[in-house]
Amino acid sequence: MSGRVAVVVGAGGELGFATSVVLANAGFSVTAVDRTAKTLEALPDGIRREVGDATDQAVAKDLVDRIAAESGPPEVLVNTLGAFRPGDALSATPEDLRLMLDVNLAAALWLSQAVTPYMRQRGGGAIVHVSARPASEPTAGMAAYSLGKAALNHLVRILDLELRPDGIRVNAVAPQLLDTARNRAALPPQALAHAVRPEAIADVIAFLAGDLSEHIGGAILPAYGA
Protein backbone atom coordinates (compact mmCIF):
# COMPACT_ATOMS: atom_id res chain seq x y z
CA MET A 1 0.00 0.00 0.00
CA SER A 2 1.20 3.49 -0.84
CA GLY A 3 1.33 6.16 1.83
CA ARG A 4 0.01 8.72 -0.69
CA VAL A 5 -3.19 7.58 -2.33
CA ALA A 6 -5.13 9.76 -4.78
CA VAL A 7 -8.54 9.10 -6.29
CA VAL A 8 -9.42 10.85 -9.55
CA VAL A 9 -13.07 10.66 -10.58
CA GLY A 10 -14.05 11.42 -14.16
CA ALA A 11 -10.71 10.08 -15.36
CA GLY A 12 -12.17 9.00 -18.69
CA GLY A 13 -12.32 12.66 -19.76
CA GLU A 14 -9.33 14.63 -20.95
CA LEU A 15 -9.01 16.64 -17.74
CA GLY A 16 -9.35 13.60 -15.50
CA PHE A 17 -6.86 11.70 -17.64
CA ALA A 18 -4.31 14.52 -17.44
CA THR A 19 -4.82 14.87 -13.69
CA SER A 20 -4.32 11.15 -13.13
CA VAL A 21 -1.01 11.29 -15.01
CA VAL A 22 0.21 14.42 -13.21
CA LEU A 23 -0.54 12.98 -9.77
CA ALA A 24 1.03 9.63 -10.65
CA ASN A 25 4.17 11.46 -11.80
CA ALA A 26 4.15 13.33 -8.48
CA GLY A 27 4.43 10.05 -6.61
CA PHE A 28 0.82 9.27 -5.72
CA SER A 29 -0.70 5.84 -5.99
CA VAL A 30 -3.55 6.86 -8.29
CA THR A 31 -6.87 5.14 -8.81
CA ALA A 32 -8.79 6.48 -11.81
CA VAL A 33 -12.57 6.21 -11.78
CA ASP A 34 -15.10 6.57 -14.58
CA ARG A 35 -18.50 5.20 -15.53
CA THR A 36 -17.17 2.82 -18.20
CA ALA A 37 -14.04 0.70 -18.38
CA LYS A 38 -13.40 1.62 -22.02
CA THR A 39 -12.76 5.28 -21.24
CA LEU A 40 -9.97 4.26 -18.86
CA GLU A 41 -8.09 1.95 -21.24
CA ALA A 42 -5.62 4.58 -22.46
CA LEU A 43 -4.31 5.40 -19.00
CA PRO A 44 -0.65 4.50 -18.41
CA ASP A 45 0.33 1.33 -16.62
CA GLY A 46 0.61 1.80 -12.88
CA ILE A 47 -2.64 3.73 -12.55
CA ARG A 48 -5.39 1.58 -11.06
CA ARG A 49 -8.85 1.67 -12.62
CA GLU A 50 -12.29 1.43 -11.05
CA VAL A 51 -15.67 1.67 -12.76
CA GLY A 52 -18.72 3.27 -11.19
CA ASP A 53 -21.23 6.11 -11.39
CA ALA A 54 -20.48 8.57 -8.60
CA THR A 55 -23.80 10.35 -9.03
CA ASP A 56 -25.21 7.42 -7.04
CA GLN A 57 -24.47 7.86 -3.32
CA ALA A 58 -24.17 4.13 -2.62
CA VAL A 59 -21.90 3.56 -5.62
CA ALA A 60 -19.66 6.47 -4.62
CA LYS A 61 -19.24 5.03 -1.13
CA ASP A 62 -18.57 1.53 -2.45
CA LEU A 63 -15.92 2.86 -4.84
CA VAL A 64 -14.06 4.74 -2.11
CA ASP A 65 -14.34 1.84 0.34
CA ARG A 66 -12.91 -0.56 -2.22
CA ILE A 67 -10.04 1.78 -3.10
CA ALA A 68 -9.22 2.31 0.58
CA ALA A 69 -9.18 -1.44 1.21
CA GLU A 70 -6.91 -2.16 -1.74
CA SER A 71 -4.61 0.88 -1.82
CA GLY A 72 -4.95 2.55 1.57
CA PRO A 73 -6.87 5.58 2.86
CA PRO A 74 -6.93 8.36 0.26
CA GLU A 75 -4.90 11.49 0.84
CA VAL A 76 -6.37 13.23 -2.20
CA LEU A 77 -9.75 13.21 -3.94
CA VAL A 78 -10.05 14.98 -7.27
CA ASN A 79 -13.51 15.19 -8.81
CA THR A 80 -13.42 16.26 -12.45
CA LEU A 81 -16.97 15.17 -13.24
CA GLY A 82 -19.06 17.66 -15.14
CA ALA A 83 -21.98 17.84 -17.52
CA PHE A 84 -23.07 20.74 -19.69
CA ARG A 85 -26.49 21.45 -21.14
CA PRO A 86 -27.17 24.88 -22.68
CA GLY A 87 -30.42 26.74 -22.33
CA ASP A 88 -31.86 29.88 -20.80
CA ALA A 89 -33.74 30.01 -17.51
CA LEU A 90 -37.22 30.22 -19.03
CA SER A 91 -36.71 27.13 -21.20
CA ALA A 92 -35.06 24.95 -18.55
CA THR A 93 -36.82 21.63 -17.92
CA PRO A 94 -36.91 19.39 -14.86
CA GLU A 95 -34.69 16.95 -16.75
CA ASP A 96 -32.14 19.70 -17.43
CA LEU A 97 -32.01 20.71 -13.79
CA ARG A 98 -31.84 17.15 -12.48
CA LEU A 99 -28.93 16.27 -14.78
CA MET A 100 -26.97 19.41 -13.94
CA LEU A 101 -27.48 18.92 -10.20
CA ASP A 102 -26.79 15.18 -10.25
CA VAL A 103 -23.50 15.43 -12.12
CA ASN A 104 -22.20 18.87 -11.13
CA LEU A 105 -23.31 18.91 -7.48
CA ALA A 106 -24.53 15.58 -6.10
CA ALA A 107 -21.50 13.54 -7.17
CA ALA A 108 -19.24 16.05 -5.42
CA LEU A 109 -21.24 15.69 -2.21
CA TRP A 110 -21.40 11.89 -2.29
CA LEU A 111 -17.69 11.56 -3.02
CA SER A 112 -16.78 14.01 -0.28
CA GLN A 113 -18.95 12.11 2.18
CA ALA A 114 -17.33 8.83 1.18
CA VAL A 115 -13.72 9.96 1.41
CA THR A 116 -13.94 12.02 4.61
CA PRO A 117 -13.80 9.14 7.13
CA TYR A 118 -10.58 7.88 5.54
CA MET A 119 -9.00 11.31 5.50
CA ARG A 120 -9.91 11.77 9.16
CA GLN A 121 -8.34 8.38 9.86
CA ARG A 122 -5.06 9.41 8.24
CA GLY A 123 -5.10 12.85 9.87
CA GLY A 124 -5.92 15.05 6.89
CA GLY A 125 -6.19 15.29 3.15
CA ALA A 126 -7.16 17.43 0.19
CA ILE A 127 -10.32 17.46 -1.89
CA VAL A 128 -10.41 19.31 -5.22
CA HIS A 129 -13.57 19.73 -7.28
CA VAL A 130 -13.83 21.24 -10.76
CA SER A 131 -16.13 24.23 -11.08
CA ALA A 132 -16.50 26.70 -13.97
CA ARG A 133 -16.52 30.43 -14.61
CA PRO A 134 -20.34 30.67 -15.06
CA ALA A 135 -20.70 29.48 -11.46
CA SER A 136 -19.40 32.86 -10.28
CA GLU A 137 -20.41 35.10 -13.17
CA PRO A 138 -24.00 34.90 -14.44
CA THR A 139 -23.95 33.84 -18.08
CA ALA A 140 -26.95 33.99 -20.42
CA GLY A 141 -27.93 30.73 -22.05
CA MET A 142 -26.44 28.48 -19.37
CA ALA A 143 -29.06 28.64 -16.62
CA ALA A 144 -29.24 25.05 -15.35
CA TYR A 145 -25.50 24.52 -15.81
CA SER A 146 -24.64 27.74 -13.97
CA LEU A 147 -26.97 26.82 -11.11
CA GLY A 148 -25.40 23.39 -10.72
CA LYS A 149 -21.86 24.76 -10.68
CA ALA A 150 -22.80 27.68 -8.41
CA ALA A 151 -24.20 25.18 -5.92
CA LEU A 152 -20.91 23.27 -6.19
CA ASN A 153 -18.99 26.44 -5.28
CA HIS A 154 -21.10 26.87 -2.17
CA LEU A 155 -20.64 23.21 -1.27
CA VAL A 156 -16.85 23.63 -1.50
CA ARG A 157 -16.96 26.50 1.00
CA ILE A 158 -19.30 24.63 3.36
CA LEU A 159 -17.15 21.50 3.27
CA ASP A 160 -14.02 23.53 3.91
CA LEU A 161 -15.53 25.09 7.03
CA GLU A 162 -16.76 21.73 8.29
CA LEU A 163 -13.65 19.68 7.49
CA ARG A 164 -10.81 22.14 8.06
CA PRO A 165 -10.66 21.26 11.81
CA ASP A 166 -9.84 17.69 10.71
CA GLY A 167 -6.96 18.85 8.52
CA ILE A 168 -8.95 18.33 5.31
CA ARG A 169 -8.71 21.14 2.78
CA VAL A 170 -11.46 21.55 0.19
CA ASN A 171 -10.94 23.73 -2.89
CA ALA A 172 -12.04 24.02 -6.50
CA VAL A 173 -10.48 25.09 -9.77
CA ALA A 174 -12.72 26.98 -12.19
CA PRO A 175 -11.82 26.91 -15.88
CA GLN A 176 -13.74 28.88 -18.47
CA LEU A 177 -13.23 26.56 -21.44
CA LEU A 178 -11.03 23.53 -21.93
CA ASP A 179 -9.09 22.94 -25.14
CA THR A 180 -10.36 19.40 -25.71
CA ALA A 181 -11.00 17.39 -28.85
CA ARG A 182 -14.73 17.55 -28.21
CA ASN A 183 -14.74 21.33 -27.84
CA ARG A 184 -12.53 21.81 -30.89
CA ALA A 185 -15.02 19.79 -32.95
CA ALA A 186 -18.05 21.67 -31.64
CA LEU A 187 -16.90 25.29 -31.37
CA PRO A 188 -15.61 27.88 -33.84
CA PRO A 189 -11.94 28.93 -33.61
CA GLN A 190 -12.76 32.33 -32.11
CA ALA A 191 -14.53 30.64 -29.20
CA LEU A 192 -11.43 28.59 -28.49
CA ALA A 193 -9.04 31.55 -28.48
CA HIS A 194 -8.71 31.52 -24.69
CA ALA A 195 -9.29 27.81 -24.09
CA VAL A 196 -6.88 26.18 -21.65
CA ARG A 197 -5.21 22.83 -22.18
CA PRO A 198 -6.36 20.11 -19.75
CA GLU A 199 -2.72 19.53 -18.79
CA ALA A 200 -2.44 23.12 -17.55
CA ILE A 201 -5.57 22.75 -15.40
CA ALA A 202 -4.23 19.42 -14.12
CA ASP A 203 -1.14 21.25 -12.88
CA VAL A 204 -3.37 23.68 -10.95
CA ILE A 205 -5.29 20.76 -9.47
CA ALA A 206 -2.03 19.10 -8.44
CA PHE A 207 -0.99 22.34 -6.72
CA LEU A 208 -4.26 22.47 -4.75
CA ALA A 209 -3.83 18.80 -3.84
CA GLY A 210 -0.22 19.14 -2.75
CA ASP A 211 1.79 20.39 0.19
CA LEU A 212 2.53 23.83 -1.30
CA SER A 213 -1.13 24.78 -0.87
CA GLU A 214 -1.44 23.52 2.71
CA HIS A 215 -2.79 26.89 3.90
CA ILE A 216 -5.40 27.25 1.14
CA GLY A 217 -8.96 26.15 1.82
CA GLY A 218 -12.39 27.12 0.52
CA ALA A 219 -10.89 28.70 -2.60
CA ILE A 220 -12.50 28.75 -6.03
CA LEU A 221 -9.38 29.30 -8.10
CA PRO A 222 -10.02 30.95 -11.51
CA ALA A 223 -8.20 29.38 -14.45
CA TYR A 224 -9.74 31.32 -17.31
CA GLY A 225 -6.82 31.45 -19.72
CA ALA A 226 -5.04 34.43 -21.23
Side-chain angles (χ1 to χ4, degrees):
M1 289 188 181
S2 168
R4 305 186 74 204
V5 176
V7 180
V8 180
V9 183
E14 290 188 47
L15 178 55
F17 182 99
T19 303
S20 298
V21 172
V22 167
L23 291 177
N25 289 340
F28 285 92
S29 174
V30 176
T31 296
V33 178
D34 209 79
R35 289 184 301 173
T36 60
K38 185 172 181 58
T39 59
L40 301 173
E41 289 176 354
L43 284 163
D45 293 340
I47 295 177
R48 293 184 64 254
R49 299 156 176 80
E50 289 284 352
V51 176
D53 182 357
T55 64
D56 183 308
Q57 185 184 29
V59 173
K61 183 179 185 304
D62 181 65
L63 281 167
V64 172
D65 287 347
R66 191 160 64 246
I67 293 166
E70 295 175 0
S71 299
E75 177 179 338
V76 168
L77 166 69
V78 177
N79 166 37
T80 69
L81 287 178
F84 176 75
R85 182 169 286 184
D88 61 33
L90 297 184
S91 64
T93 67
E95 181 190 2
D96 294 335
L97 192 58
R98 275 194 298 270
L99 177 63
M100 295 299 96
L101 291 176
D102 280 348
V103 179
N104 296 322
L105 173 65
L109 178 57
W110 309 146
L111 289 164
S112 299
Q113 287 179 349
V115 81
T116 292
Y118 295 105
M119 290 186 175
R120 283 174 169 158
Q121 172 188 329
R122 70 176 307 282
I127 297 173
V128 184
H129 296 295
V130 176
S131 184
R133 187 171 187 170
S136 302
E137 301 176 18
T139 305
M142 300 183 185
Y145 174 74
S146 298
L147 289 169
K149 289 293 191 179
L152 171 63
N153 282 5
H154 204 60
L155 175 65
V156 165
R157 296 182 177 112
I158 290 170
L159 288 171
D160 183 67
L161 287 173
E162 293 181 349
L163 301 182
R164 197 183 308 170
D166 300 307
I168 302 170
R169 297 178 297 105
V170 187
N171 294 290
V173 59
Q176 175 170 291
L177 182 65
L178 292 177
D179 184 6
T180 63
R182 183 174 182 178
N183 285 337
R184 286 194 298 272
L187 298 171
Q190 60 269 27
L192 295 164
H194 302 290
V196 180
R197 294 181 303 106
E199 293 80 6
I201 301 298
D203 287 336
V204 177
I205 291 171
F207 166 73
L208 290 173
D211 297 337
L212 292 176
S213 62
E214 63 178 332
H215 301 298
I216 300 176
I220 313 297
L221 192 61
Y224 300 160

